[in-house]
Amino acid sequence: MGACLGVCSLLSCVSCLCGSAPCLLCGCCPSTKNSTITRLCFTFFLFLGTLVSIIMIIPGVEAELHKLPGFCEGGTSILGTDGKVNCKSFLGHKSVYRMCFATAAFFFLFALTMVCVRSSKDPRASIQNGFWFFKFLILIGITVGAFYIPDGSFTSVWFYFGVVGSFLFILIQLILLIDFAHSWSQIWLHNADEGNTKSWYTALFFFTFLFYAASIAAVVLLYVYYTKSDGCTENKVLISLNLIFCVVVSVLSILPKIQDAQPHSGLLQASIITLYTMFVTWSALANVPNKYCNPTLLVRVENSSTTAVTDGGQMTQWWDAPSIVGLVIFVLCTLFISIRSSDHAQVNKMMLTEESPAMLSGNTPALEDGVHRAYDNEEDGVSYNYTFFHICLLLASLYIMMTLTNWYRPDEHHQVLTSPWTAVWVKISSSWAGLLLYVWTLIAPVVLPDRDFS
């Protein structure tokens, strides 16, 4: 009898994995919108690929990857180089590129499949919201195939895909950060108007001061560690420019005309943007390919693939602080995309996450026999653009690929992993694009008074 019950329980789990909703998750959670559960499950696939990539660059694990059948076969000769290249030199770098290629290809496949899905009545919506076991098998199949891709020019070409995708994902991060900053300020100012004004304004002042203090400390540390009195002109210029831009943005946010058009704008949002800009500047300077101006530069050479080697001969771990902070921001932004929509209609239009009529009604189906279920909230219209969501996860895959490999690439002889200037300028230009975007959110109501920016 116990065996029969076990088989029945297993069959019910299989039906959940192959059905229209992930009821395994909802069985232990409150009743949830089907759209939210679906986004969380796809995000779980992305995090799973990220975890596998992290494991593959752990010292010890990376050294054993050459034992995978076929992983180092067909890739010992590189186009444009003379002779042979030892595959064991860049095993971690190679495995991360292939793992992230697999997740990117997986989301690209679903982005194409889900083009123009308007509601859950479309047959393709059942594929989006169910069949999780088969999706997992598809991801595994793509991953296995990716590890048999011969080297050739794959790494060089995929590097530039990663650069473009990472730049776009950083812009998405900035949009979400700006939206978060505006929402935070609006909520706290509204609470201050409702009552206990002194406490709410004190809290606003505290966090504004905290973010600006952290930004000033970051600027000082950047000048100390990434500039020299007799050189490093590029570093000095980049730090100084971003510092000036942040000061301009902060002053602009409290101008009388801006305050009249947007009473909720203020220094809290500007302080958050300033702190993030300093982080991006730090991340960019950590990729400057000049050891004299970049003391955190890591150089990986042949026969020492599990560690980084400094000029002094000391062995250093592959991870650096900007990569760890970038990984944390990646996780938070990806969860933000998966769980909630913006409080601002303009951001929802930009991110293609406008609420459907069913969601706007706010009605939650009653529990049947006390069982928690994922209920369909997209019969009248999807609550997010399926294709755009998968594109966001595709870009996130490329971003995490570049983050885990520190934006490094093999040199022209494929003997050393180096940091190119491309990484520096992509990050710096993304910080400037973010500042321009924030400035536009401030001046748009003034420049276009007839449009609704509420």
Side-chain angles (χ1 to χ4, degrees):
M1 178 63 71
C4 292
L5 291 175
V7 171
C8 292
S9 176
L10 179 61
L11 290 176
S12 67
C13 291
V14 172
S15 67
C16 280
L17 290 171
C18 301
S20 60
C23 50
L24 280 177
L25 180 60
C26 292
C28 60
C29 300
S31 290
T32 313
K33 300 169 185 176
N34 203 34
S35 60
T36 302
I37 296 297
T38 296
R39 284 180 285 182
L40 284 174
C41 288
F42 276 113
T43 303
F44 171 76
F45 283 160
L46 175 63
F47 287 167
L48 181 63
T50 302
L51 179 61
V52 172
S53 299
I54 293 174
I55 292 174
M56 286 180 173
I57 58 175
I58 294 177
V61 176
E62 180 184 9
E64 300 297 320
L65 288 176
H66 70 280
K67 296 180 181 179
L68 292 176
F71 190 35
C72 279
E73 295 176 6
T76 55
S77 61
I78 307 296
L79 295 177
T81 61
D82 297 327
K84 300 285 186 177
V85 175
N86 183 7
C87 173
K88 298 179 184 179
S89 301
F90 311 122
L91 281 172
H93 186 275
K94 179 177 177 178
S95 60
V96 170
Y97 266 54
R98 280 153 178 76
M99 186 67 238
C100 292
F101 170 83
T103 55
F106 175 78
F107 292 122
F108 180 72
L109 174 65
F110 278 94
L112 289 180
T113 305
M114 298 301 159
V115 171
C116 295
V117 174
R118 303 300 183 189
S119 70
S120 59
K121 298 175 183 177
D122 191 312
R124 290 174 294 170
S126 60
I127 300 176
Q128 170 78 0
N129 298 317
F131 302 99
W132 298 102
F133 178 71
F134 295 108
K135 290 174 182 174
F136 183 66
L137 291 182
I138 291 172
L139 179 58
I140 291 178
I142 297 175
T143 302
V144 172
F147 275 79
Y148 284 91
I149 298 175
D151 283 326
S153 57
F154 171 79
T155 300
S156 299
V157 173
W158 198 239
F159 170 82
Y160 288 105
F161 274 93
V163 167
V164 175
S166 299
F167 176 80
L168 296 176
F169 188 73
I170 291 174
L171 292 184
I172 292 176
Q173 287 182 343
L174 288 164
I175 292 172
L176 296 177
L177 184 66
I178 293 171
D179 174 55
F180 170 75
H182 281 296
S183 298
W184 184 0
S185 179
Q186 288 177 8
I187 292 173
W188 281 23
L189 289 175
H190 175 74
N191 292 340
D193 293 337
E194 293 294 323
N196 201 3
T197 304
K198 184 177 180 180
S199 297
W200 286 110
Y201 278 113
T202 301
L204 279 171
F205 172 79
F206 171 77
F207 280 100
T208 301
F209 175 80
L210 179 65
F211 293 146
Y212 272 123
S215 300
I216 294 172
V219 171
V220 173
L221 291 174
L222 291 179
Y223 275 118
V224 170
Y225 288 100
Y226 292 95
T227 64
K228 303 292 182 181
S229 58
D230 57 344
C232 307
T233 304
E234 297 91 345
N235 292 13
K236 294 176 183 177
V237 171
L238 294 178
I239 298 171
S240 301
L241 280 177
N242 276 2
L243 175 60
I244 293 171
F245 293 155
C246 289
V247 172
V248 170
V249 164
S250 299
V251 173
L252 186 64
S253 67
I254 56 175
L255 290 178
K257 286 189 176 181
I258 300 295
Q259 290 290 312
D260 292 339
Q262 289 200 81
H264 293 111
S265 68
L267 291 177
L268 177 64
Q269 299 97 310
S271 66
I272 295 174
I273 302 303
T274 298
L275 182 59
Y276 185 79
T277 301
M278 290 301 108
F279 160 70
V280 176
T281 306
W282 173 37
S283 180
L285 295 178
N287 279 113
V288 171
N290 183 346
K291 187 64 180 178
Y292 180 68
C293 301
N294 178 12
T296 60
L297 181 67
L298 304 176
V299 179
R300 304 192 77 184
V301 299
E302 185 177 357
N303 298 327
S304 60
S305 62
T306 60
T307 55
V309 183
T310 64
D311 287 344
Q314 297 178 339
M315 308 301 285
T316 313
Q317 292 299 321
W318 179 232
W319 285 86
D320 61 357
S323 297
I324 296 174
V325 176
L327 182 62
V328 172
I329 295 175
F330 152 79
V331 171
L332 294 177
C333 287
T334 308
L335 287 175
F336 189 91
I337 294 172
S338 304
I339 295 175
R340 68 183 294 271
S341 299
S342 172
D343 296 328
H344 302 96
Q346 298 294 331
V347 177
N348 281 330
K349 290 179 181 179
M350 185 181 301
M351 300 294 293
L352 302 180
T353 54
E354 289 187 278
E355 305 292 353
S356 66
M359 294 184 70
L360 292 174
S361 63
N363 295 327
T364 302
L367 297 182
E368 298 179 6
D369 301 326
V371 179
H372 295 148
R373 300 185 184 279
Y375 59 89
D376 186 2
N377 62 310
E378 299 180 310
E379 292 182 351
D380 298 324
V382 295
S383 60
Y384 63 101
N385 186 292
Y386 290 175
T387 294
F388 184 77
F389 173 72
H390 288 298
I391 290 176
C392 286
L393 296 188
L394 186 158
L395 298 177
S397 300
L398 297 175
Y399 173 80
I400 201 63
M401 178 185 78
M402 302 304 291
T403 300
L404 292 179
T405 57
N406 294 83
W407 295 67
Y408 285 17
R409 60 178 300 184
D411 66 351
E412 61 273 13
H413 302 294
H414 287 259
Q415 300 299 324
V416 180
L417 279 176
T418 60
S419 178
W421 274 103
T422 305
V424 179
W425 289 112
V426 166
K427 293 180 181 182
I428 288 296
S429 59
S430 66
S431 70
W432 294 342
L435 288 170
L436 286 175
L437 183 61
Y438 176 62
V439 168
W440 174 248
T441 65
L442 295 177
I443 67 174
V446 178
V447 176
L448 302 173
D450 295 332
R451 291 189 59 179
D452 181 19
F453 290 95
S454 60

